[in-house]
Amino acid sequence: MAVTTAAPAASDEKELLISGSEAVAEALALADIDVVTAYPIRPYDTVMQAIAKKIANGQLVAEYIVAEGEHSQFEIVKHASTVGARVFCGSSGVGWAYAMECLVVTPPLRVPMLALVGNRALDDPGAFGVEHNDALFVRDLGWMLCWIDSSQEALDTTLIGYRVAEDRRVFLPLALSADGAFLTHSQALTLVPPREKVDRFLPRYDRGDLLLHPDNPITVAPQANEDWVIEIRRQNDEAMKRAYGVIEEAYADFRRVFGRGPENPWFEEYMTDDAEVILVGMGTISLPIKVGIRNMRARGKKVGLVRLRWFRPFPTERLVAALSGARAIGVIDRDYSFGSPFASGVVANEVRAAMYNAERRPPLLSFISGLGGREVTLEDVDKAADMCFAAAASGKSDTKTHWLGVRE
Amino acid sequence: MADATTFTNATQILEPFRGIKRVTIEEYFTSGHRTCQGCESALVMKLMVKAAGPRTIVLGSTGCMYVANTTYYTTPWVVPWMHTQLGSSGSAALGTAAGLKSLMRKGKMKAEPINVIAFCGDGGGADMGIGAISATLTHKEYNSLILLYDNESYANTDIQLSGLTPYGAHTTFSPPGKVHRLIHRRWKKNMAGMMAAGHPECRYVATVCASYAVEMMNKVRRALTIGGPTFIHSLDPCPKGWDYDPMLSHEMGELAIETGLFPLYEVEDGVVKYYGKTKALVDGRPRKPVREYLLKQGRFAHFTEEDLAHFQSKVDEMWQQWEIPAVVPFRRVDATKAALDVK
Ligand SMILES: Cc1ncc(C[n+]2csc(CCOP(=O)(O)OP(=O)(O)O)c2C)c(N)n1
Ligand code: SF4
Ligand SMILES: [Mg+2]
C-alpha cells in the first residue's frame, strides 16, 4: 500500500510550525471545548501550557481549572461531561497512574472524555522519556486507545476523537497517546483548518437522555451489585464493538470535509505491498524504522512497516490481513509486560493472539526497544529485520523476546 | 475566569424557613433507601434536599448514603443524582458546577441558577477527599455546597475508625483488648473550623445536627444562596456504629451539643455566629458532663474513669483555651503565655 502523505494545503487552512502538543491545543480550540483541567507533569503538560495561552488570549472560552492532583483533574472533567460539557484532560507516567481510580470509572459512566497521554516511563527511577506502559494501563477497561506520530495526526485525531467518543453509539473515553518529547515537543508544519469546516465535521456534544440536569432527573450509577453489573459490562463491550464502524465513518467523513487523512484509520502501512518482513510498532518509532527500511531496500531487502494507530478497539481482522502475507513479522514494543507469555511486550502478545486463528501464520518475533526514551537506532532496526529474515528462512517463530540496544 | 461575576454566578435566593410549619411540604428524597432503622444520615439527606428544592443536582460519594441509600431500581432521589468516588466530593461539586457554568455562559444551555450539592462521609471527606474539598473551597467562581455527613466512622465497610472518629471509640479497626484498651488514640479533626480558617474566600461554613432540623435546613439554604463554594459539617448519630437504641438518635444529637462536644455555629464572611444550645453554652450555661453522652453508647463501654476524665479535659480545653471557643484551636495569647511561664 502507498505511503500516506498530507494533501497540499487547501487554501482555507493555515500552516503552522507547531509541536504535537500545540497541535492538540489548536484542535481543542476548534472543537470549542467547555471544561479543561490541568496538573503539571512532563511531557504532556505542554498541551496545558498551550491551552492556557489560548484562554489567556481569548482564542478559547472554557472553564480552565488547575486541579490539586490528577485524581481531581480527571474527576472534575468526568462530572462536567455528565452535565453536557465537552471536556479535555491528560497526563503522563505516574500522573496517569495517580488518576487510576477515575480512569476506571469513566468508561462505565459512558463519559466521552478525551485525554492526551504524553507517554512517559513510570517511576522508579525517574525518567522523562517515552514508554507506552502508562497509557496501556487502561487497555482492558473500556478506554479507546490511539497512538499518533505527527503534529498533523495529533490535530486531526483530536477532532476525529471527539466525533467518535461523543457518538451516542459509543460514548466511551479516548486516550490519545503521543510519545513524550519525540512528538509532544517536536515541531512540524501542520495544517490548521478553519472553524466553520470543523463545525461541519464535528457536531455538538449531546448527552441526550443521560444528561444530569433538573429537567432530566435521573439517578446515575446507583449501587447495582450482582443484579446488574454483568449486563453493564456487556453494554460497554457492545459500545466498544460499535466503535469500529463509528471510527470508519468518522475517518471517511474527515476525508470528505478536509480532503486529507488516511483511508485506513487503524494503521499506517509503509512499503508493505511487496514486503517479505513486516515490522510492527506504535508511535514515533515509525521514524527510525522508516529510515531503516529505505536503507535496507537500497540493499535489496524488502522490509515494510505497519504502524498501529488504534490499539483499542484493536483492528484484528485488518491487521491479520495485512500481516498474513509476510514471510516474517517483527513486533517492536516500547513497553514491557513482565511475566507475560514469552516475556514479550504488550503489542507482540496482542498480535500473536490476533494471528492465532489466521489461515497463514508467518513466524513472529518480539522485540523490546527504546524504553525510557532511549533512541531506537538504525542498527537496532537492521538487527531486528535481519533476525526476521532468518526466521523467514527457517519458517520458525523464535519464542525468545529480544531486547534491542540494551547494555547486557 | 476574568469575567467572574456574570449572570452565571447567580444563585437561587432561598429565604430561611421561619419555623417548622413554614417548611415546604414537597419531598425530593423519598422511599426506596435501605439504611438502618434510626439512621440519622438518611434524615440529613432528606432535609438537605428538601431545603435545596427541585432545581438541584446532588452528587454522592461512596459510603452508606450511596450503598445503603441509592440502589438500582429503587432510588429515593427525586432530583438528579450521581455517584462520585470516595474521595471525590470536592471534584464532583467543582466539575458539575464548572460544566454548568461553561455551557450557560457560552449559550449552550439555558441560563438559570442550579444548586450543586456534593455530599461525603467523614471517611470520604475528612480523610481521603480533604485535598479535593480544600481545592474546591478556593474556586470562588463556582457555586456549590459540600456537605459532610459525619457518622464518625467508615460505616459502610463495617465501622472502621476515621479521622473524625472520637478518641478511644471501639470500631472494628480499634477493638478494646486485654493488653491495649484503647487502640484509637487520636483526637477528632476540627473539620469545619479548619475549612473556615483555611479558605479565606469561602464565604460560608457551618456545622449542623439534624436534631435541630429547621436550623439545619436554613443553613443549607444560606450556603446555597450566598454563592461560591461552601461547606457544612453535619454530626449524624449512627445506631449501628455507635451502638445505641435506634430510637435515641435525636437525643444522641442533642447530647453531643449539650456536652459541648460538637458546637453548632456558622462562619459567614469570617464572622462566627453560635446557634441554639451552643450559644447558650458560650453565654455561660454549664455544659453537661461528656460521660452522660459517652456512656449511652456501646462504642465507649470499655472506657474507665481515667478515659472519661481525659475525654472531659479535652472538651474543657475546647471551651476554655481555644481562641474562638470550640471553633479555632489556637490558644488565646494569655493562655499561651501562661503555658510558657509554667515551663
Ligand atoms: C478508593 C476507595 N477505597 C475504599 C473504598 C471502600 N469503601 C466503600 S464505602 C467506605 C466507607 C466510607 O466511609 P464514610 O465516608 O465515612 O461514609 P459512611 O460509609 O460512613 O457513610 C469505604 C472505605 C472505596 N469505595 N473506594
Ligand atoms: S451504619 Fe449508620 S450511617 Fe450507615 S445506614 Fe446504618 S445507621 Fe446509617
Ligand atoms: Mg462515615
Side-chain angles (χ1 to χ4, degrees):
Chain A
M1 215 165 282
V3 181
T4 355
T5 46
S11 56
D12 56 353
E13 303 212 24
K14 287 183 295 189
E15 199 172 28
L16 301 180
L17 181 66
I18 48 178
S19 69
S21 290
E22 288 164 338
V24 171
E26 289 298 327
L28 296 172
L30 290 167
D32 188 32
I33 57 166
D34 301 310
V35 180
V36 50
T37 50
Y39 191 83
I41 186 166
R42 277 186 278 224
Y44 109 96
D45 58 351
T46 41
V47 74
M48 294 302 172
Q49 293 165 12
I51 291 168
K53 272 191 205 147
K54 286 206 173 298
I55 290 191
N57 293 329
Q59 294 159 298
L60 168 64
V61 178
E63 303 307 309
Y64 165 69
I65 296 170
V66 179
E68 94 296 346
E70 288 87 355
H71 189 281
S72 294
Q73 193 195 356
F74 280 79
E75 283 291 86
I76 292 166
V77 284
K78 179 193 90 180
H79 282 280
S81 177
T82 65
V83 295
R86 177 170 286 163
V87 300
F88 179 76
C89 196
S91 198
S92 292
V94 292
W96 182 249
Y98 198 78
M100 194 63 188
E101 183 191 28
C102 320
L103 302 180
V104 167
V105 294
T106 301
L109 287 169
R110 309 301 293 277
V111 164
M113 172 193 302
L114 210 86
L116 179 71
V117 185
N119 297 126
R120 170 179 173 164
L122 298 163
D123 291 356
D124 265 337
F128 295 129
V130 53
E131 269 174 21
H132 292 164
N133 281 82
D134 52 4
L136 287 170
F137 281 159
V138 299
R139 70 191 162 120
D140 300 326
L141 303 177
W143 278 78
M144 295 184 286
L145 279 170
C146 184
W147 263 265
I148 49 185
D149 84 336
S150 69
S151 295
Q152 189 68 59
E153 206 169 71
L155 187 147
D156 295 354
T157 316
T158 302
L159 298 175
I160 291 169
Y162 278 115
R163 165 91 181 243
V164 172
E166 292 173 0
D167 189 299
R168 185 66 175 88
R169 292 166 289 177
V170 178
F171 264 14
L172 290 174
L174 167 65
L176 205 58
S177 275
D179 287 353
F182 296 124
L183 178 52
T184 54
H185 289 63
S186 308
Q187 295 180 322
L189 284 174
T190 308
L191 298 178
V192 182
R195 174 72 184 270
E196 51 87 10
K197 229 173 180 179
V198 173
D199 287 346
R200 265 192 284 145
F201 171 72
L202 182 61
R204 284 258 291 269
Y205 169 39
D206 178 3
R207 191 133 179 92
D209 57 356
L210 294 184
L211 186 75
L212 196 69
H213 188 277
D215 291 340
N216 187 49
I218 51 172
T219 290
V220 178
Q223 180 81 11
N225 295 338
E226 69 283 5
D227 292 338
W228 286 103
V229 164
I230 195 168
E231 281 76 18
I232 291 164
R233 300 284 178 260
R234 188 76 179 84
Q235 287 179 339
N236 259 54
D237 181 51
E238 282 301 317
M240 188 62 93
K241 285 176 182 157
R242 285 195 295 267
Y244 285 103
V246 175
I247 289 169
E248 298 264 3
E249 265 176 49
Y251 276 81
D253 232 27
F254 190 89
R255 284 197 305 279
R256 191 177 55 71
V257 174
F258 297 93
R260 59 188 155 80
E263 294 223 352
N264 174 359
W266 308 104
F267 46 87
E268 178 193 354
E269 292 188 78
Y270 183 79
M271 297 192 175
T272 51
D273 279 349
D274 61 343
E276 293 173 12
V277 163
I278 298 182
L279 299 176
V280 180
M282 300 198 299
T284 55
I285 201 171
S286 57
L287 209 73
I289 295 182
K290 283 178 182 173
V291 176
I293 286 176
R294 288 200 291 272
N295 292 346
M296 287 186 278
R297 283 195 172 251
R299 300 197 302 268
K301 288 185 178 171
K302 290 182 180 163
V303 184
L305 164 71
V306 164
R307 175 178 64 91
L308 258 184
R309 278 193 203 93
W310 288 86
F311 186 80
R312 286 291 183 269
F314 194 82
T316 313
E317 278 144 40
R318 282 193 81 151
L319 191 67
V320 168
L323 298 180
S324 287
R327 291 184 56 216
I329 306 163
V331 182
I332 308 184
D333 271 278
R334 206 161 206 162
D335 63 80
Y336 46 85
S337 179
F338 302 127
S340 69
F342 313 107
S344 291
V346 173
V347 184
N349 277 335
E350 295 280 304
V351 175
R352 276 195 184 105
M355 297 297 291
Y356 186 78
N357 287 329
E359 298 265 310
R360 202 177 162 278
R361 281 197 303 268
L364 187 149
L365 272 68
S366 156
F367 303 93
I368 286 177
S369 180
L371 297 189
R374 176 156 306 175
E375 189 187 350
V376 177
T377 62
L378 297 179
E379 292 75 51
D380 294 336
V381 178
D382 271 5
K383 191 174 160 194
D386 282 345
M387 291 168 81
C388 289
F389 277 110
S394 74
K396 279 211 186 107
S397 284
D398 172 356
T399 55
K400 235 178 91 197
T401 294
H402 306 277
W403 289 58
L404 301 172
V406 189
R407 291 187 210 94
E408 300 273 9
Chain B
M1 307 310 312
D3 50 338
T5 45
T6 57
F7 65 98
T8 49
N9 269 58
T11 56
Q12 295 176 42
I13 308 301
L14 303 167
E15 298 291 347
F17 296 129
R18 309 240 171 254
I20 192 76
K21 290 183 184 156
R22 307 278 184 86
V23 174
T24 47
I25 200 112
E26 291 82 9
E27 300 290 356
Y28 305 103
F29 173 91
T30 61
S31 56
H33 62 92
R34 50 191 180 91
T35 54
C36 310
Q37 193 181 30
C39 174
E40 202 75 342
S41 295
L43 178 63
V44 166
M45 296 293 114
K46 175 180 145 117
L47 297 175
M48 169 189 88
V49 71
K50 192 178 180 64
R55 304 306 280 175
T56 300
I57 296 175
V58 180
L59 300 317
S61 293
T62 321
C64 277
M65 291 306 105
Y66 170 53
V67 179
N69 200 46
T70 308
T71 307
Y72 192 33
Y73 271 163
T74 70
T75 181
W77 296 98
V78 177
V79 292
W81 186 94
M82 180 176 169
H83 173 227
T84 194
Q85 295 311 108
L86 184 53
S88 294
S89 56
S91 310
L94 184 56
T96 305
L100 292 172
K101 179 171 177 176
S102 184
L103 295 171
M104 288 182 196
R105 111 173 139 124
K106 291 163 89 171
K108 294 181 181 178
M109 179 186 278
K110 191 178 112 240
E112 69 162 311
I114 295 176
N115 298 323
V116 174
I117 305 179
F119 67 74
C120 53
D122 47 300
D127 283 349
M128 189 182 266
I130 196 167
I133 292 174
S134 172
T136 297
L137 294 183
T138 64
H139 283 278
K140 67 173 176 180
E141 64 272 37
Y142 303 115
N143 303 327
S144 68
L145 163 63
I146 295 165
L147 186 142
L148 185 151
Y149 69 93
D150 178 12
N151 50 22
E152 299 196 318
S153 79
Y154 287 90
N156 181 62
T157 33
D158 264 353
I159 321 294
Q160 290 91 1
L161 68 90
S162 79
L164 295 190
T165 299
Y167 173 86
H170 176 176
T171 69
T172 58
F173 276 6
S174 54
K178 292 197 182 94
V179 177
H180 300 287
R181 189 176 65 259
L182 305 181
I183 295 287
H184 175 50
R185 282 173 296 176
R186 294 148 56 195
W187 196 254
K188 185 180 172 93
K189 286 188 197 181
N190 181 34
M191 190 65 187
M194 170 168 35
M195 294 299 109
H199 305 90
E201 292 201 307
C202 164
R203 296 192 57 197
Y204 192 80
V205 170
T207 59
V208 298
C209 178
S211 300
Y212 307 94
V214 178
E215 178 199 313
M216 185 236 154
M217 284 189 282
N218 285 341
K219 282 177 173 163
V220 168
R221 287 166 80 81
R222 185 67 192 146
L224 293 169
T225 302
I226 199 166
T230 54
F231 180 82
I232 291 180
H233 179 181
S234 175
L235 183 74
D236 300 3
C238 160
K240 178 177 164 191
W242 301 12
D243 189 11
Y244 63 84
D245 187 325
M247 68 181 243
L248 295 178
S249 291
H250 182 93
E251 286 71 13
M252 219 53 75
E254 285 184 331
L255 279 171
I257 313 302
E258 288 166 351
T259 53
L261 226 160
F262 190 81
L264 289 177
Y265 64 87
E266 70 182 16
V267 184
E268 180 172 326
D269 290 328
V271 178
V272 179
K273 182 179 168 191
Y274 295 100
Y275 270 79
K277 289 195 176 144
T278 301
K279 184 162 184 305
L281 301 183
V282 177
D283 293 343
R285 169 157 355 145
R287 278 175 279 123
K288 287 191 174 166
V290 292
R291 64 188 303 133
E292 284 189 30
Y293 170 73
L294 300 178
L295 295 181
K296 287 199 169 63
Q297 305 170 37
R299 62 178 171 159
F300 300 111
H302 56 295
F303 265 32
T304 59
E305 281 305 321
E306 189 193 334
D307 299 332
L308 291 167
H310 175 72
F311 206 111
Q312 184 66 60
S313 74
K314 293 291 286 185
V315 176
D316 292 347
E317 245 177 53
M318 281 170 61
W319 287 90
Q320 290 161 5
Q321 293 184 29
W322 287 18
E323 173 78 40
I324 302 178
V327 179
V328 176
F330 303 147
R331 301 303 190 256
R332 290 196 201 96
V333 178
D334 47 351
T336 314
K337 196 164 165 300
L340 288 173
D341 287 348
V342 173
K343 291 203 182 126

